Amino acid sequence: MDVSFLGGPSPQRGVGVVAPFDFALDRELWRWMPDEVSLHMTRTPFVPVEVSLDLARLVSEHETLSEAVRTLNAIAPEVVAYACTSGSFVGGMMGERAMCEAMSRAGAVPAITTSGALLEALVELDVRRVALVTPYTVSVTRSLEEYVAQAGVTISGCAFMGLTRHIWKVPYREVVDMARQAVRGDADALFISCTNLPTYDVIPQLEAELRIPVISANQVTMWAALRRLGTRAVGPYQALVNPAARSGPVAPGADPGPVLPEEEQQQEGWT
């Protein structure tokens, strides 16, 4: 961050983020932020329901989202993002658009959701066939498949974990294993769903192995929000945020991107 010796730190641009009450990956969202942009987080009220379609509906009610956005108005973010995949696809494409409209009315700024950002990313990468990885139960996963199909994108493969809680504790190793199960045939890209599933470090690893763009819920959310500000997310070796990484398969002998040191892989539960 630039610092003025007389005036203190340079002004920050702001992205307001509304997250479900159980969101645990604030630190991961910050990793996509350039120095000149700050995240301003707020959460929906607690409800005693595990991850399910019912929870997705409860945390995405318009009044809930509008009230959350109003808590951010004093900070004056330039865009607001609803960082929840299931909560933003559970009502289909029309429901997602209605959420954006409700948030925009409450904050008088552009609004996006994770699921809307997903569709933007699929267009950006010219994806017609996508493989899916989710931590969800079968019913929530099927709802995501229906949402993507509404956008005219074919599901080429899918793998899901069947979790209803503690999704943020899933290690990278399990994400990698599920990705390998999901990607078969001629997928143009892989989408890893759920903003509570850690993905930042695993994206370049999977892109190097699978030779297709790999996008995740938190990544597309931050990418789309920063797009509204006319700036770029920070994601070395990630095809969505770094167009230079979209060149296709890595040639033999070429550098496929950064590899986590063995001790870091162990810390992340990869090995």
Side-chain angles (χ1 to χ4, degrees), residues 158-241:
C158 182
F160 60 93
M161 301 177 189
L163 301 179
T164 59
R165 58 169 61 187
H166 297 164
I167 290 171
W168 66 89
K169 296 181 179 180
V170 173
Y172 279 157
R173 177 180 56 200
E174 292 186 23
V175 177
V176 171
D177 289 344
M178 297 298 285
R180 290 168 178 159
Q181 292 178 41
V183 175
R184 53 184 182 268
D186 53 351
D188 299 321
L190 168 69
F191 174 59
I192 305 172
S193 191
C194 190
T195 54
N196 235 358
L197 187 65
T199 58
Y200 188 95
D201 293 304
V202 82
I203 290 172
Q205 303 289 336
L206 283 173
E207 289 188 338
E209 176 181 336
L210 301 175
R211 304 296 192 258
I212 56 175
V214 175
I215 56 179
S216 76
N218 283 333
Q219 181 205 46
V220 299
T221 305
M222 295 298 96
W223 167 79
L226 290 167
R227 238 183 165 193
R228 303 306 192 274
L229 302 187
T231 190
R232 256 188 203 176
V234 177
Y237 302 99
Q238 297 182 18
L240 178 64
V241 302

Side-chain angles (χ1 to χ4, degrees), residues 16-18 40-45 61-77 79-81 99 101-109 111:
V17 178
V18 178
H40 308 302
M41 303 284 299
T42 192
R43 281 168 169 76
T44 62
E61 292 176 345
H62 288 189
E63 185 52 39
T64 297
L65 296 180
S66 297
E67 184 59 30
V69 170
R70 284 191 284 269
T71 69
L72 296 168
N73 285 347
I75 308 169
V79 60
V80 291
M99 288 177 206
E101 291 169 2
M103 290 191 297
S104 289
R105 285 194 301 270
V109 292

Side-chain angles (χ1 to χ4, degrees), residues 58-135:
L58 285 170
V59 296
S60 60
E61 292 176 345
H62 288 189
E63 185 52 39
T64 297
L65 296 180
S66 297
E67 184 59 30
V69 170
R70 284 191 284 269
T71 69
L72 296 168
N73 285 347
I75 308 169
E78 296 178 52
V79 60
V80 291
Y82 179 38
C84 180
T85 324
S86 60
S88 54
F89 67 59
V90 69
M93 292 179 66
M94 290 183 63
E96 189 277 333
R97 292 191 194 105
M99 288 177 206
C100 290
E101 291 169 2
M103 290 191 297
S104 289
R105 285 194 301 270
V109 292
I112 66 161
T113 73
T114 298
S115 295
L118 163 62
L119 299 189
E120 281 188 43
L122 295 178
V123 171
E124 173 73 12
L125 296 169
D126 194 25
V127 173
R128 294 177 175 82
R129 295 175 57 83
V130 66
L132 303 176
V133 166
T134 91

